[in-house]
Each structure stands twice: as structure tokens, then as C-alpha cells.
Amino acid sequence: MAISNKNRKAAMGFIFVTLLIDVIGWGIIIPVIPNLLKELTGSDTSHAAEVGGWLTASFAIMQVLCAPLIGNLSDRYGRRPILLFSLFGFGIDYLFTSFAPSLGWLFVGRIIAGITGASFTTAAAYIADISTNENRAQNFGMIGAAFGLGFIIGPGIGGLLGQVGSRVPFIVAAGLCLLNWLWGYFVLPESLAPENRRKFEWARANPLGAFRLLTRYKGIGELVISLILIYIASHAVQSNWSFFAIERFKWSPGLIGASLATVGILVAAVQGGLIRYTNPLLGNEKSVYVGLALYAAGMFLFAIATQGWKMFLFLVPYCLGGIAGPAIQAIISGHVPPNEQGELQGALTSLMSATSIIGPPIMTGLFAYFTHANAPVYFPGVSFLLGGILFLVSALLAYHALKTEKKAIA
């Protein structure tokens, strides 16, 4: 049975806690990834960063191939079973990683997670199911809030567990994901009403078919390109933060964990609280422009930081940029009917994953090139510089897309 109107608020609580536990499991492992890769490869931080980029890319390749399938399956069978399948897959991934005797086993785990990994895709479709036009951006912001709170708890715990051993955080993450799966099995309600479901079609359940959806509706094509640039730019932080902090400031796993916990506090405050005031005040369009400008400012400041404490300070404008993402997502989602929200989110996840094939090697590769012994110029912040430029280009594309749509309507 589909969820009733009076239970929508409770359903948001269910999905929020589910994602929170999922992100905690992910955040726990981040502080120890560099040391684990150095342990398995017997190399330095520069080489470990390159391997880390390709490890992320292996997950992304499977997401590109499988996210449209998962999204279409959720349009046919509902969000609940697909979300539970995803959580179980992540638990298995962390078990593979925690006992990995070689680098190859790490890639096996990432491939499994890429095939089953649909938690955020299905959660976004779930949120679209239970949202109205008025609260869609604020509800999408709850995904970011879960991400933020998870990063308050996860990396902090991971930094402490990493002092015990580089594999201990993975064991704990596996336990959390499997407990989350079990919890969701008993308490998570279905959000997609039977009358809003549609027949499964293989022609739409693949990357090419999913991307056709993005061209089917006027007004979202250029916004999707803007979103692609945001995803690529974000990898300057997501794929590079730990390596940069170790190389530039000699941070320990504990301090890396503390910095990521700070990111979590700020992201949770912005997307779980501040956006509920800024979005009604600014509207979706202005939220996009202001957010992307703040993102870019944060990136440029990271690039020129000369002391570790400044990285904490510069996180403020960067995380305030988080008002942009939910606004763009709300605009795009508003163009698509309920029985295609899963397909839409699968297509967006597939695109995001495609950028994760490109983004991590670019950002970690740039970092490695400008930090190795024979680098022409020593500049560990180069990836942040590129990220800031991409955010500005994204803002220009979004501006053109939204202004063009307004003229067409007029």
C-alpha cells in the first residue's frame, strides 16, 4: 500500500534515518583509505591517490551501467524493495573490503557496491513521491542533511578506529549497513502508489535509454549539464581531501576525521536547516546562483590555503554553497511526472557516476602530477583551482537555461 498523506512526515523521518546510517558507514572509512591503499600497494601518498581515484572510478562504471536499471525497477516494483537491496549490497562490499588480502579484492567489493548501490537514487525518488512543489527543494535538502550528520559521526569514529587498525572501520561500516538493512525491512513503508507504477521496459532501463529521458522534457537539458559540472568539480574535495591534507599539512587520520566531521556539521546545518529559510526567501533560481558562487569561492580559498586551520575556516563558504544542489534537483524533478521519478533519479545517478569515472582520476591525477618528486611546480591545491572554475561555468549554464525557459514561457 502506498503511503498516506498524513504519514508523509513520518516517512521523511524513516528515509532520513536510513540514509544517515548509510552515510555513517561510508564516512567511517574515509580517514583510513589512504593508509590502507599505501599498505596494500607499498607506495607513497602520491601513488595511493592515483589508485584511490581508479578505485572510485570502478564503482562509478558499475553505477553508470546499473543505476538506470535500478531506477526503472523502482518505478515498476516500488522504492522499498530496491532500497533494501541496495543497503544489503553495501554491507557485503564493506565485508569484502575489511578482509581484502590484496588490492584486487578492494576492486571486487567496489564493483559489488556499484551494482547494488541505489540508496541515494531510490531515496531521491522516494522523496519526490511524497513531496509537493512547495516543499520539494527543502525535502531534497534532507538528503544533504543526512549526508552532513553522517559525516559528523562517521569520520570522527573512523579517525578513532583508524588508530586501532586500517581495517577496523570497514568491519564497523559493514555492521552498520547490515543493521540498517534489517531495520529498514521492518519499518520502511512503501511510497509509490500502485496507480503511479508503470510497466518495466528494457529499452529505458539502460544508460542510453535513461539519458533519452533527459532530452524528452524541455528545460532540463542545460540544467543537467550544469549538474554534471557540479559533480565533476565536487571530486576536488570528495576524492582528494584526505590526500591533500596529508601532503600539504601532514594531518593524521584523527585530524582528517575531525575536518570531515566539521563538513558534516556545516552541511547538516545548511541543508537540514538553513535551506528551509533561504529557499522560500530566494526561490530555486537565485538559490542556484548564490550557491554556486559560494562553492567556487570555497574552492579557490582551499587552493591557496597556507595553514591547516584555514581549511576549517574556508569550509564555511564552501558548505554554504549547498543551497544550490537541492534547488537544481527540485527544478529538474518538477518537470517529470510521478511514474518516471525513479527513471529520472536513475538517469541522474548514472550521470553522476559517469562523472565519477572522470572526476577522481582528473582530480587525484592533477594532485599526483603537481606533488611528485619531479613536478614542474609544486602545487597540491591545483585540483581545488579547477573545481572552482567548473563551478563558475556551471553557474553560467544554469543562468542561460533558466532565462531561456522564462522567455519561452513569456
Side-chain angles (χ1 to χ4, degrees), residues 124-140:
Y126 192 110
I127 289 170
D129 292 339
I130 63 174
S131 297
T132 64
N133 289 333
E134 291 73 25
N135 66 12
R136 184 171 279 114
Q138 294 97 309
N139 285 347
F140 277 131

Side-chain angles (χ1 to χ4, degrees), residues 64 68 203-216 343 350:
V64 169
R204 299 168 68 170
N206 62 79
L208 292 178
F211 296 158
R212 290 192 195 102
L213 171 70
L214 302 178
T215 62
R216 196 181 307 156
E343 184 178 5
S350 188

Side-chain angles (χ1 to χ4, degrees), residues 33 35-42 51 55 58 93-110 166-167 170:
I33 281 287
N35 287 338
L36 179 61
L37 290 175
K38 287 193 288 184
E39 173 188 322
L40 290 175
T41 61
V51 175
L55 193 65
S58 67
D93 162 46
Y94 289 133
L95 283 176
F96 264 95
T97 306
S98 62
F99 296 106
S102 66
L103 191 61
W105 280 103
L106 288 184
F107 280 92
V108 170
R110 286 285 79 191
S166 59
R167 296 172 187 267
F170 293 91

Side-chain angles (χ1 to χ4, degrees), residues 13 86 145 164 317 341 356 358 385:
S86 169
V164 179
Q341 286 294 329
S356 294
I358 302 168
L385 178 62

Side-chain angles (χ1 to χ4, degrees), residues 133-287:
N133 289 333
E134 291 73 25
N135 66 12
R136 184 171 279 114
Q138 294 97 309
N139 285 347
F140 277 131
M142 294 305 292
I143 297 178
F147 183 90
L149 285 174
F151 261 61
I152 296 170
I153 303 167
I157 296 174
L160 293 174
L161 293 175
Q163 307 293 339
V164 179
S166 59
R167 296 172 187 267
V168 174
F170 293 91
I171 298 173
V172 174
L176 281 174
C177 280
L178 293 175
L179 285 174
N180 190 15
W181 164 73
L182 186 63
W183 178 83
Y185 179 82
F186 288 105
V187 303
L188 188 67
E190 179 55 66
S191 66
L192 186 64
E195 62 269 22
N196 287 332
R197 301 183 189 186
R198 61 177 176 82
K199 183 180 178 181
F200 179 83
E201 300 174 55
W202 279 107
R204 299 168 68 170
N206 62 79
L208 292 178
F211 296 158
R212 290 192 195 102
L213 171 70
L214 302 178
T215 62
R216 196 181 307 156
Y217 297 98
K218 293 182 179 179
I220 67 174
E222 212 167 358
L223 286 174
V224 169
I225 296 174
S226 176
L227 205 56
I228 288 172
L229 293 180
I230 292 173
Y231 291 150
I232 294 174
S234 297
H235 278 285
V237 171
Q238 293 175 12
S239 301
N240 203 54
W241 184 268
S242 296
F243 298 108
F244 173 83
I246 291 171
E247 175 68 24
R248 185 71 177 86
F249 304 115
K250 311 302 179 187
W251 282 3
S252 66
L255 192 51
I256 293 171
S259 69
L260 293 175
T262 302
V263 172
I265 293 171
L266 293 171
V267 169
V270 170
Q271 297 201 22
L274 183 63
I275 196 173
R276 297 186 174 274
Y277 301 96
T278 58
N279 190 266
L281 179 65
L282 298 174
N284 284 332
E285 183 178 349
K286 288 183 180 178
S287 294

